[in-house]
Amino acid sequence: MKVAVIGGSGHIGTYLVPKLVKENHQVVMVSRGKSEPYIKDWAWEKAEHVALDRGNDPDFNAKIAELNADVVIDLICFKLDEVKEMVEALKETNLTHYLYCSTIWTHGRTETIPVDPNGEKYPLDEYGSQKYESEKYLLHEYRVNGFPATMISPGQICGPGWSIINPLGYGDDSVFQTIADGKEVKLPNLGMETLHPVHAEDVAQLFVDAMNHRTQALGENFYAVSEDSLTLYGYAMAMYRFFGQEPKVSFLSWDKWCDHIADEKQTNVSYLHIARSGHFSIENAKKLLDFQPRYTAVQVVEASIQSYIERGIITVD
C-alpha cells in the first residue's frame, strides 16, 4: 500500500518509517525538511521524502490529498480545525485508513484506574482540549459518514535521542546527573503520582498493528503506553539503581516543593503531568490488535538514559 506519514522525521517516525518500508509498503515521508532520524536504519532511505510545511503552506491538505495514499498517518495534527481540513481533503481520494496521533493529555485528573481510552475526558489545558475535540470529531465522522479513522494516544514518549520527562515530572536533564552523582532529589508530595512512559518504537509498532488489523482498528482509540506505569518514587528509585547509587529521596509538600524548585515554568509542567496521574489501559490494543509492547516502563527510561550517557549528556565515573 501507499502510506503517507505526516511528521515522519520525528521520534515516532524514526521507527515507524523503517517498519513500513520493511513490510513492503510504498512510504512517503512528509516533513518540513530533510531531518536525520534519531536511529540509523537503511530502510529510511527507501522512503520518498516530501517537504511540506503544515503551518505555512495554505495548500498543505490539498497536496497531501494529491499523494492519493491508501493510508495517511498524521503525527503532527494538533488543532481541531486542522483535523477538519484534512478530513475534507482526503474524502475524495483512495484513502482506506486515516491514523491520527492523539495523546493521553486528553485526560485530566484520573478518577479510576486503569483509564479507558474511550471514556469521558476532562482535559486540563488547551493542547489536551484540542486533541480531545479532534478525537470526538473523528469518531463522529467514522460513525456518521464512514470516514476510516483510528486514534492512537501515546504516553510520555521516550527512547534514544530524545529528552525525556524526569522523576520530578518535568524536562530537566540535570536531574539525572544529580542521581548519577548519588546526590539527593526531592519529590513533590509523597511521590505517588504516576507517569506512563512508552518507547517510541512501541508507539510506531502500534500504528503498524492498527494498519495490519484495519477492520478491528476503525473507530477505535488506543493508548500507546508501556504495560506498566511508574510512580515518581519508583522512577527515582529505578534511576538510582541504574547508576549503582544509594537512593537519596526526600519529600516536600507541593507548595514547599515549588519553592524549592524555584522555576514556575518547570513546576507548571510537572503539575500538568502529575495532576492527571493514571495507569492507561492497553487492553483493547492487546485484544483487537495483538499489541505487545517490547519495553516495560523501567526499560523505556533506562534505554533513554543509556543514550544520554552515550551522547555525553550525563557523565558517569
Side-chain angles (χ1 to χ4, degrees), residues 142-162:
Y142 169 71
R143 290 176 174 174
V144 175
N145 298 315
F147 185 77
T150 294
M151 294 147 285
I152 293 177
S153 301
Q156 285 89 34
I157 300 175
C158 303
W162 193 251

Side-chain angles (χ1 to χ4, degrees), residues 21-41:
V21 168
K22 291 172 184 178
E23 292 203 1
N24 297 316
H25 294 295
Q26 178 188 351
V27 182
V28 181
M29 193 281 288
V30 180
S31 67
R32 289 179 294 181
K34 189 173 175 61
S35 301
E36 289 294 320
Y38 290 90
I39 302 295
K40 297 293 184 182
D41 194 303

